[in-house]
């Protein structure tokens, strides 16, 4: 049985595209939207928020923060879309973006916590046909709670 329905992919991509429009990126002008589908089948999204100190928040961090603030800690599927200001990515050409190294580490925190290997929606073969990649592929041999003897069991929620 398939893990996800095509409609779930479309809904998640739409959420990422929508929230990207709220990105605040006057410095890089690269606008990013991220959307997370959780274990409870809710969608949380976030955009990048830059600041003059050049230490802004990435879209994936915003989406994770929204998820945690809503009381969820088990992300299953992530979509990230990014494009320069003025570009208008769409469902047919979403311009999937890989999470950066810092975000991979933050996402891995929740894989460690919840036990799911996060799926990440990737490049289109043809419009509407997607490919899934796992976070463990993007961040192999990762550093996590076990390395420092921390047991996250009671934090799973
Ligand atoms: N950015 C993200 O939001 N997520 C990533 O994982 C890659 C980079 C943002 C940070 C910055 O605001 C802009 O994209 C250009 O790097
Ligand atoms: Zn990042």
């Amino acid at each position: 049985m398939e893990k996800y329905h095509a409609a779930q992919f479309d809904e998640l991509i739409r959420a990422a595209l929508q929230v990207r429009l709220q990105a605040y990126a006057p410095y890089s002008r690269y606008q990013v939207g991220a959307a997370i589908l959780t274990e409870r089948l809710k969608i949380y999204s976030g955009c990048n928020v830059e600041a003059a100190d050049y230490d802004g928040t990435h879209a994936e961090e915003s989406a994770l923060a929204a998820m945690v603030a809503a009381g969820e800690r088990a992300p299953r599927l992530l979509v990230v879309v990014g494009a320069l200001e003025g570009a208008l990515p769409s469902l047919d050409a979403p311009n999937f973006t890989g999470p950066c190294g810092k975000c991979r580490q933050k996402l891995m925190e929740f894989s460690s916590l919840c036990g799911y290997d996060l799926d990440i929606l990737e490049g289109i073969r043809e419009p509407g046909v997607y490919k899934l990649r796992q976070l463990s592929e993007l961040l192999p041999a990762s550093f996590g709670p076990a390395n420092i003897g921390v047991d996250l069991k009671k934090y799973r929620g």
Side-chain angles (χ1 to χ4, degrees), residues 21-147:
L21 300 175
Q22 311 303 332
Y24 177 71
Y27 304 101
S28 73
R29 299 194 179 166
Y30 191 74
Q31 301 181 313
V32 186
I36 293 169
L37 178 72
T38 62
E39 184 178 48
R40 294 187 206 156
L41 303 179
K42 291 271 173 52
I43 290 176
Y44 299 97
S45 62
C47 58
N48 55 333
V49 183
E50 297 185 347
D53 64 356
Y54 277 59
D55 188 23
T57 305
H58 291 195
E60 298 89 324
E61 296 176 298
S62 298
L64 280 174
M67 178 193 77
V68 172
E72 290 214 51
R73 294 180 179 179
R76 300 297 311 272
L77 176 63
L78 170 74
V79 168
V80 186
V81 298
L84 280 172
E85 191 180 287
L88 207 59
S90 67
L91 196 56
D92 283 339
N95 214 31
F96 291 125
T97 306
C100 79
K102 180 175 79 148
C103 289
R104 289 176 198 202
Q105 181 69 37
K106 296 219 159 131
L107 292 161
M108 186 58 85
E109 176 68 25
F110 292 90
S111 283
S112 306
L113 179 59
C114 73
Y116 296 119
D117 195 358
L118 182 71
D119 291 313
I120 298 166
L121 209 55
E122 252 210 357
I124 269 185
R125 273 171 285 172
E126 46 190 275
V129 182
Y130 312 114
K131 183 180 162 201
L132 288 180
R133 206 193 260 285
Q134 273 69 52
L135 180 62
S136 62
E137 281 180 72
L138 297 184
L139 194 67
S142 61
F143 180 83
N147 294 93

